[in-house]
Amino acid sequence: QAIRFYYLYNHWAIRVAIYFFIFLNLSLALFEEPAVYPLPFLATSLIEVLCLCAFFGRLVQFAKVTPRTVFWKDTKNICVMLTILLTLLDLIIYGSLRVFNIHSVRWSRFLRPLFLINFPESRQIRRVFRSIRNTLPEVLYVFLLLMFNVLMFSLMALKLFGDRNLKTVEGSSYFTNLLDIMFDLYVLVTTANSPDVMMPAYNLDWRYSLFFITYIVINTYIFMSVFLAVVYNNYRKHLKNEVRKLAYMKRHKMIEAFNILKTKEGTEFVVKEAQWKQLVKIVAPDISNSHRELLLRISDEEQKGYVDKKCFLRLADLLNIQVITIKFKRHPLEIWMPHVYKSSGSLFVQKVVQHRVFVWIYDVIIIINAVFIALDEKNPLISYAEWVFLSLYIIEILLKLYTYEPKTFFARNQFWNWFDSLIIIAALMATIANAAIKSVIEYNSQQILDIVFVLRLLRLIRIVDSIQRFRVIMTTLINIIPTMLTFGGLVLVVYYMFAIIGMELFQDKVLFFSESSTDPHALDCGNPALEDSTFARSRYCKNNFNDLASSFIVLMELTVVNQWHDILSAAKLFFIAFHIVVVILIVNIFVAFILEAFFVEYSLEKSEIETTIEKKIQELGMGIQEENIPDGQLIDNMETNENDLSGGEEMQRQSSEGLFFRIASKRYRTVDALLQQMFESEISPEDEGPSLDEILNLSPSDMHPKNPTFENSA
Amino acid sequence: QAIRFYYLYNHWAIRVAIYFFIFLNLSLALFEEPAVYPLPFLATSLIEVLCLCAFFGRLVQFAKVTPRTVFWKDTKNICVMLTILLTLLDLIIYGSLRVFNIHSVRWSRFLRPLFLINFPESRQIRRVFRSIRNTLPEVLYVFLLLMFNVLMFSLMALKLFGDRNLKTVEGSSYFTNLLDIMFDLYVLVTTANSPDVMMPAYNLDWRYSLFFITYIVINTYIFMSVFLAVVYNNYRKHLKNEVRKLAYMKRHKMIEAFNILKTKEGTEFVVKEAQWKQLVKIVAPDISNSHRELLLRISDEEQKGYVDKKCFLRLADLLNIQVITIKFKRHPLEIWMPHVYKSSGSLFVQKVVQHRVFVWIYDVIIIINAVFIALDEKNPLISYAEWVFLSLYIIEILLKLYTYEPKTFFARNQFWNWFDSLIIIAALMATIANAAIKSVIEYNSQQILDIVFVLRLLRLIRIVDSIQRFRVIMTTLINIIPTMLTFGGLVLVVYYMFAIIGMELFQDKVLFFSESSTDPHALDCGNPALEDSTFARSRYCKNNFNDLASSFIVLMELTVVNQWHDILSAAKLFFIAFHIVVVILIVNIFVAFILEAFFVEYSLEKSEIETTIEKKIQELGMGIQEENIPDGQLIDNMETNENDLSGGEEMQRQSSEGLFFRIASKRYRTVDALLQQMFESEISPEDEGPSLDEILNLSPSDMHPKNPTFENSA
C-alpha cells in the first residue's frame, strides 16, 4: 500500500495540479487590489484558502511517503507550513479589519513565492538560490570595495565641483551634497546617466572629464567584470559540488542495492543475470527488451551469466545514457494500401521530398515570403499571396508526413519539425478564425491579426536552420531553453516579491492618463511633485506600481537599467536594493550560465561510458548480417536532413531484428545533463564515495535526484 | 661587433626613444587642424618627418641584427616601411596643395597607430589583434544571427505598430519606416533607449510591452552573453595556442643548445658543470652566485658534476621562476652609528613600529582624516588639520625607513610602500608649491588645489589593504595593471583611428558655446538641424569631433553606450561600426581578460617546478645550522605585515651565508605569467615539441618571446 501511495504521490496529474495551484496563488495578485482585473475580496480569499488547502494536502501526502525524522528535519516542509499558517493569519486579520472598514496591508502576499521555491519539484530554483547564498559573502566584499570606491570618488567630486556653482540641465545645483553625489555616481556605475552627469563639469573644462572616465573604467568596466567573475566562479564551484554530491549518493545507493542482491559466485560477490534483469525491469520499465539485452551484454562482457560489482555500479550511468531504440516502423500508408504507396508515382514523390533541392526550394519560398511581408499589406494581391504561402507550407508538411513515418517525424528530438508544424497549424487556425470573425462582424479583430503577423514571421526563423554555422549557435540556444525556465522561475520569484513591496509602497503615486485625456493632471502624471520632471516629459506615466502587470514591466525596465534613475528617483533605496539583487546577482548568474553552456558545447567530448555502449552496439551490429532495407533510407535521410556534422551520432542497424540503436547526439540534450556528465567524468570509477557521515550531512533536498534508478532502488 | 650592435639595438635608451617618437607622432593630432593647441603646419610636418626618420632608423637597425630572409618575410617591417612611404607622400601632396591654398585631407594620419602596433616591442598589442582576427569569423556568424533577429523583430514591429498613428515624445511618427525601426531596435540591444522606444506602444496597450520584453531578453541578454562567450572562448583558445607555441619553441631551442654543448659521459650525452655554469652566467647575468648554485643543485640532483638532457631542458623554466635572493643587509644607520641605532631607545622605537598596533593607529588616523575631508574645508581649523595629517604620514614613512632596511622597504614587490611614499611626497610637494604661489600672487592655484585634493583622497585607499578580504581582490586588480596597459594601447589605436575619421567627417558640425555666451546659435549648438533636439536640450554641444581631446571623450561616451543614439544620430553607420568594434569586440575581450585573471587567481596552484625548487631550498636549509639573527625579524615582520595568507610564500634561511631564498609569491606576479604557467603545465615534459615544419610555420612575431633564456641561447 505504501508503494501505491508513493506512486500516487509521484502521479503526474497531482504534480500538475500542484503547479496549477501555485500559479493560481501567485496570479491572485492580478485580481486583488490594486488589480488589473478586480475581483471582490471574498472571491480571491476563497481561492487563496483553496490553494492553501491544496498545499497542505500535498504536504500531508509527502509526510506519508517520507520517514518522520527526515520530514521534520527538512527546512522546506517547515517553511511551507509556516507560510500556510502566516497566510491564514493574515487573511483572517485583513478580513476582519475589512469588516470594520479599516484598510490594512496584505503582507503575506510577499510570502507567496515561497510555495514555488519550497515544493520538492522546484529543485532547480532552490539550487540557484543556494548558489546565490553561497556567492553572497564574496559578492558582498566586492560590493563593499565598490562602495568604498564610490565614496572616495564622491568625496573627490564634492571637493572638485562642489564650490563651482555649476548647474545641471534641469537647473538644480550640481554636486553639492555628498549623498546625492554618491547616488549619481552609483547610477553612473550602471551607465544609466552616462554623459548627463558629466556634462556640467565637462562644459566647464574638458580636463574634468578625466575624472569621470577614470571612474567609469574602474567601476563600470573593472568592478562589474569582477562581479561577473565572482558570481561565475562560485556558480561553477557550487554546481560542481552539487553534481559531485549527487554522483556520490548514486554510487552509495548502488552499493546498497548490490549488497541486497548479491550472491556468492566463486571468490567474489556478484548479481545473477535473472535478478539483474528483474531489477532493470522495475527500475526502468520504459526501455525495450532489446535495449535491456544490450545493457546486459555491456555489463556482463564475457556472458558469464552474472554481473560483477564494478559493472553493476555502472548500471545507473548506463541507464542515464539515452539509447534510442528505433523500431522499423513501416509508414502507416504502406500498411494500409501498399500498392498505392509503393507505386512509381508515389516513390517519385518520396524521392523528391527527400532530396536536398526540396529543402532549398522551400528556403527560397521563405525568402520570397519575407520580402512580401516587408511590402505593404494594403495591396490585395499581396494579402492573397499570404494564402498561397500558407498553403505551400501546409503542402510541405503533408508531403513530409507522406514520405517519413509520422512517429519518426515527430520524434522528441526533431525540434524544427515540431516548431514548423505548430506554427503552421496555429497560423492556419488564426487565419480561419479571423476570416470567420470578419464574415460575421465585418471587421478584423486586431488581436488575431497581430497574432497572425507574429506567426507569419516566426515561420521565417526556420531558414536559420539551413545554414550550418547558425545551427551550432541555435542548437546551444535551444538546449538552454529548459534551464532558462528555471531562471524564469527565479526571476518570477524575485520580481513578485519586489512587485508586492513596490505596490504597497508606491501604489497610485503615479497615475496614467490616456493620450486624449483632458485632465489637467495628465501632464504631471497625477502627482504635483512630478511637474515638469524628466519623468513626466518623457511620458513615463505608465511606468508605475498601480497593478501587478505594470509593476512587472517597471521592474523589467529597471533590470535593463537604462533611465532607471528617472523612472523613480524618489525611492532610491528600493532601486539600489533591486539593482544589487537583480542586476548584480541574477543577471550575472544568467550570463554565467550562458557562458558555461557555450563552453560546455565547445569543449565536451564523448564520455567514456558512451564510448563503451557505442562499441558494444557496433560489435553486436558487426555480428549480424546487414541487409539493405529501403526503410533504412528514412533514418539516413533524416540524418542528412539534419546535417549534423558534430559526429555525435552513431547508428548501427540490427536489421534482422528490425531495430536501430542510436546514442542520442549532443544536440537537444539539456546543458544541465551535459554539465553533470562533464563533472561526473572527474570522479574516478573506483571511488566508493564519501563516508556515511557526509551523506548524512547532505541536505534532504538532494534526496531526490533526477536519476530514476536511484530513486526506485532506494 | 655584431653582438655589440645587438646590445645597442636592445639598449633601453633607444627603446624609450622609439616609444617617445611613437607617442610624439600620435600626439601630433593635438596640434594639427582641428587642433586643441594649434601649431603652424610647418612645425607639425617637420616633427612628423623627424619621427619618420626615427622609425626608419630603427628599422635599419633591426635589419642589421636580423637575417635578411627573416627581415623581408616579416609583415610588420614591410607594413612600417609602407606606412612611412605613404605618410611622406601624403605630407608632400598636402603641403604642395597648401601652397596653392587648396584644402585637402591628411588621410595618412589614420595610419599613424600602425607604428605603435608594428614595432617589435608592442608584441602584446599585436597578440590581442591576432586574437581579435581569429575571433572575427565566429563573432560574425553570431552577429549575422543577431541582425537576422533584429530584422525579424523590426518586420514584426512594422506590422504591429506601423499603422497605429503613434507618435514619439518628440512628436515624430513612431515605427513607420523599416530602416528606422531596425536602427531603434539595434540601439535597444545596447539598452541605450530602453524605456523610451517602448513607451508609445506601451501607453497604447500594456500587452505590447511583451514584444519589447521578449526582444530585450533574447537580444540584449542572451545574444550579448553569446558574444561574450564566443570572444572569451576564442581568447582562451588563442592564448593557449600562443603559449603552447612559445613553449615548444623554447624546448626546441633548448635542445639545440644542448646539442651544441653536449659531451659524452658514459652511455649518455650530458653537459658538464663548468659549461653549464658559463651558460647560465651568459644567459642570466643578473642572478647571484648562490642562486646559480641552487639551480645547479636542482639540475644535478646527485652532484655527479654534469647535467643530463632532461634536467638541462628544464633550465629555462627554472630561470623563469623568480627566486628572490635576499641578502642580509644591515640598516645603513646601524653601520654608520651602531651605538645610537642599537641603543635601548632606538630599539624601542623599532619595536613599536613593527608592532601591529602601529598599523592600527594609522588606520584610525586615516579614518579620522576621511571624516575631516568630508567636513567643510572653509573652517580654518580643518585646513590646519590637513597639515597635521600630512606630517603624521610623513612621520610614519620616516619611522618605517628608520626601522626597516630602505632597499627592502622599497623592494619591487612592496606595492603599498611605493604607493604610500609617492602619494605623500607628491602631496607634500603640491602643498608647498601651493603655499609658495599663494604667498607670491596671494591666490590659490585651482589646478594645484585640485591635485592636492585628489592626492589627499588617494592616501585613504591604503586602508583597504588592512582588511584581508579586500587584499585578495586588490592584489588581483594590481596584478592586472600591466596587461591593462596593453588594453590601453589597443583602445588608443582604435580610438585614434575612429577619432581621425570622425574629425574629418564631422569637424565643426557641432559647436560649443560657453555658458555665458549670448550667441543666438548657443541653443542649437551652431547647427540649425539640431534646434530643439534632445542633443541640444541636454546641453551636449561639447560632445563633438572638433579636436582630438573632444573626439576621444565622445568615443568614450559611445563606449559606455548610454545616450549614444542622441549624441550623433545623424551618423548611424559610424556609430554602428564603432559599437561593433569597440563594444562587442574590445570590451568583451577586456571582460574576458578580467574573468580569466580572476579564475587564474582562484584556481592556480603551485607548479611542479616551483615545488621542486622549494623542496631544494628547504633541503639545503635543513643541512645548515640555523641561527637566530635579529635581522631575520625584519623579513618576518614584513611578512606578517603583508598578512599573506595565500600560503604561496616559502622562505628558508641560509643563515651562515647570510642569505634568504624565497620564491616570489603569486601576489604581484602578472596575470600573463600565471596564465603561461598554467598552460605550460599541460605540456608533458617528455614532449619534444612539434616538427621543424611547424616551427617554420610559426609567424616571425613569435621569434622574440619574453623568456630571456631562449633569446640568447639561440
Side-chain angles (χ1 to χ4, degrees), chain B residues 23-38:
Chain B
F23 284 102
L24 184 65
N25 190 25
L26 286 178
S27 62
L28 276 179
L30 282 172
F31 308 103
E32 290 161 345
E33 291 172 1
V36 184
Y37 312 104

Side-chain angles (χ1 to χ4, degrees), chain A residues 152 164 192 196 446 540 562, chain B residues 164 192 196 446 457 540 562:
Chain A
M152 296 304 286
R164 303 278 157 94
D196 304 275
Q446 191 60 51
Y540 282 177
N562 201 49
Chain B
R164 302 279 157 92
D196 304 273
Q446 191 60 52
L457 279 161
Y540 282 176
N562 202 49

